């Protein structure tokens, strides 16, 4: 069925159910080993692998296929230092003055503070910028749609691609992040969305002993007012 003059046949491989189960379980096992890492080894990583992961992130669906994202790849030690210094200045103000007591208490189990040495130690920083609008060659603005959702999906794919490729990362949001647009000389239509240090974990890397919610807690099947299988709490 042709839906538009420019459509092409879908390239889709239908798998047998045994293969589907094996692949789904393998993917879960890989992703379940993912942890937010804050202690990196300084060892370099293959940049072609990072570029391939970014290309995978760029396959994300986006509003009206506007692909409203730019990925900045930072490896230069001087630039990483500037990013660390600016991030720590903001984070220090946040931890010391801007955070509510409730927020501080929620972060306590993670053991975070304003020091961000990983921004210099990790061999790679990826900064994802969201494009709030596009700019045509003649300078006029092109509207973008569902920018937050689109970038959130691209970020999820990037994290999965990096994990799948054997790299560790952290979703870091030094707040506010405007300094990233300045230091990385991004145009006015781009705003920082997330900062990901990427590398190998340090040999002595520790992570908080956290548990993920079991499937039964995150999944409701066929929910609705008429579904009698949903327990009624009195
Ligand atoms: N951006 C700060 C604080 C922080 C906030 C949340 I919500 C976290 O899940 C973790 C940290 C920092 O990176 O320390």
């Amino acid at each position: 069925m042709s839906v538009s003059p420019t459509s092409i046949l879908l390239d889709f491989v239908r798998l047998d159910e045994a293969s589907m189960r094996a692949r789904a379980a393998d993917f879960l096992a890989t992703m379940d080993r993912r942890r937010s890492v804050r202690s990196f080894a300084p060892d370099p990583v293959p940049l072609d692998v990072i570029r391939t992961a970014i290309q995978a992130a760029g396959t994300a669906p986006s509003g009206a296929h506007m692909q409203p994202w730019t990925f900045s790849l930072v490896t230069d030690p001087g630039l990483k230092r500037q990013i660390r210094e600016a991030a720590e200045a903001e984070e220090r103000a946040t931890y010391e003055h801007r955070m509510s007591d409730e927020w501080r208490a929620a972060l306590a189990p993670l053991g975070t503070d304003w020091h961000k040495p990983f921004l210099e130690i990790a061999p790679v920083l990826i900064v994802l910028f969201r494009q709030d609008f596009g700019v045509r060659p003649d300078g006029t603005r092109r509207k973008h749609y569902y920018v937050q959702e689109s970038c959130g999906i691209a970020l999820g794919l990037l994290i999965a691609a990096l994990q799948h490729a054997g790299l560790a990362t952290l979703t870091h949001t030094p707040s506010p992040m405007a300094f990233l647009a300045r230091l990385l000389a991004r145009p006015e239509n781009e705003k920082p969305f997330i900062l990901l240090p990427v590398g190998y974990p340090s040999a002595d890397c520790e992570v908080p002993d956290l548990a993920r919610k079991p499937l039964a807690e995150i999944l409701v099947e066929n929910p609705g007012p008429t579904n009698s299988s949903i327990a009624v709490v009195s």
Side-chain angles (χ1 to χ4, degrees), residues 72-89:
S72 287
L73 180 54
V74 178
T75 53
D76 177 72
L79 200 44
K80 285 196 295 171
R81 175 185 293 264
Q82 284 180 288
I83 290 173
R84 175 188 178 174
E85 285 170 359
E88 286 187 333

Side-chain angles (χ1 to χ4, degrees), residues 38 91 95 99 103 107 110 112-113 116 172-174:
R38 293 180 170 81
E91 290 288 81
Y95 275 89
M99 267 182 194
W103 190 0
L107 290 182
L110 304 183
T112 56
D113 63 26
K116 304 299 174 193
H172 182 44
T173 52

Side-chain angles (χ1 to χ4, degrees), residues 212-219:
R212 294 196 161 101
K213 290 180 180 176
L215 184 64
E217 245 183 82
I218 63 170
L219 171 67

